[in-house]
Amino acid sequence: MNMKIAQLQTKVLPDKRENIRQLDEKMDAIKGERPDMVTVGEMFTCPYDTANFPVYAEEQGGESWQALSSLARKYRVYLSAGSVAERDGQGHVYNTAYVFDRQGNQIARHRKMHLFDISVEGGQSFRESDTLTPGDEYTVFDTEFGKMGICVCFDCRFPELSRLMVIHGAKVILVPAAFNMTTGPAHWEIMFRQRAVDNQCFMVGTSVARDEKAGYRAWGHSMAVSPWGDVIGELDEKPGCLIIELDLGYVDKIRRELPLLNARRTDVYSLEFKGEK
């Protein structure tokens, strides 16, 4: 079964509501393409800065959540709503990716598990853990096209997480992201291609657009990769839309012809999830 995805690479504005209004405008502009799913980037409603995350954070079901649910329902699409700052009842703040179905029902919530704490000499330094709390679950969800998985940006660097999602049925992995000008040129493409080859699945990475005036400049380059490791499509750094069509049957074909997943030596090694599902 084929699935059409529209990857929207949007510019992040200071006003949370304006970012959602911008998303509505862009979804309206592409409705003639009849996408099955729309995806956006990491923290697409919040300028990417640790000090902003608690300020922009809302509880699940809050104003932004309701607006995103309404957009999924309005355009009758699955909406992988990038990620937003989420606050729970105890005051913890998370980098959270919500997914809504065509009726606006939430069908997935992934809290970023691996926080982006890096310091590259001569390059990017950042500490998400200054204000964010890590999630502790992998996330797989059902669609009419089959199972999909989702993780957030830095999560994708950890191959165990992608493999967990695939073991539990994912044929497509969505990654809202915001790689930067240090890590993006070095690792963005090779990471997505390697995860696709290792797991024989489609990888769909959607970034926010680059803002040269921002304190944190995103690499952009939203892309999709096939289970064979081919780049299906890629944007540049500017705001834009990438329309891709995924043949989910191709995943089965690749896994049948090159049975890597079935050939794993689970009698010798295994991957265990230690949390609760």
Side-chain angles (χ1 to χ4, degrees), residues 61-228:
E63 180 183 353
S64 294
W65 185 99
Q66 292 180 40
L68 294 168
S69 170
S70 294
L71 288 179
R73 184 169 57 252
K74 176 181 178 180
Y75 294 105
R76 295 294 175 186
V77 297
Y78 290 94
L79 176 58
S80 175
S83 77
V84 296
E86 178 212 356
R87 185 187 306 276
D88 70 8
Q90 290 72 50
H92 302 113
V93 178
Y94 301 92
N95 185 340
T96 299
Y98 295 116
V99 183
F100 301 91
D101 68 13
R102 297 182 190 269
Q103 290 75 44
N105 302 307
Q106 180 184 309
I107 55 174
R109 181 188 69 181
H110 178 77
R111 291 169 167 170
K112 190 173 187 178
M113 293 178 64
H114 304 88
L115 298 185
F116 185 57
D117 288 1
I118 69 161
S119 182
V120 178
E121 185 176 352
Q124 184 71 49
S125 294
F126 206 86
R127 284 187 57 82
E128 280 189 326
S129 64
D130 286 346
T131 56
L132 293 180
T133 298
D136 57 9
E137 292 186 347
Y138 72 91
T139 306
V140 173
F141 58 95
D142 289 307
T143 74
E144 68 203 70
F145 302 96
K147 288 187 182 293
M148 305 178 73
I150 187 167
C151 62
V152 178
C153 200
F154 198 52
D155 281 340
C156 196
R157 285 187 174 271
F158 299 86
E160 297 89 349
L161 181 55
S162 297
R163 178 54 56 86
L164 268 174
M165 289 186 275
V166 167
I167 288 173
H168 289 88
K171 294 184 177 182
V172 180
I173 295 178
L174 308 173
V175 189
F179 269 43
N180 57 66
M181 297 302 294
T182 299
T183 59
H187 300 147
W188 176 259
E189 179 179 327
I190 193 171
M191 181 187 73
F192 277 96
R193 296 185 72 184
Q194 192 59 62
R195 293 291 168 272
V197 170
D198 286 345
N199 294 295
Q200 301 180 306
C201 66
F202 287 103
M203 296 292 300
V204 179
T206 308
S207 175
V208 294
R210 189 181 310 166
D211 182 351
E212 296 291 353
K213 298 178 181 178
Y216 183 97
R217 292 184 297 150
W219 172 239
H221 289 264
S222 296
M223 67 168 14
V225 180
S226 81
W228 193 248

Side-chain angles (χ1 to χ4, degrees), residues 241-257:
C241 177
L242 177 63
I243 304 288
I244 58 172
E245 193 159 337
L246 308 184
D247 176 3
L248 278 296
Y250 188 50
V251 175
D252 298 325
K253 178 179 184 294
I254 294 298
R255 291 178 180 180
R256 182 174 62 252
E257 294 178 351

Side-chain angles (χ1 to χ4, degrees), residues 31-51:
K31 64 185 180 183
E33 296 282 351
R34 300 178 64 83
D36 298 298
M37 172 178 278
V38 172
T39 67
V40 286
E42 182 182 22
M43 288 293 183
F44 81 102
T45 65
C46 170
Y48 197 75
D49 185 281
T50 54

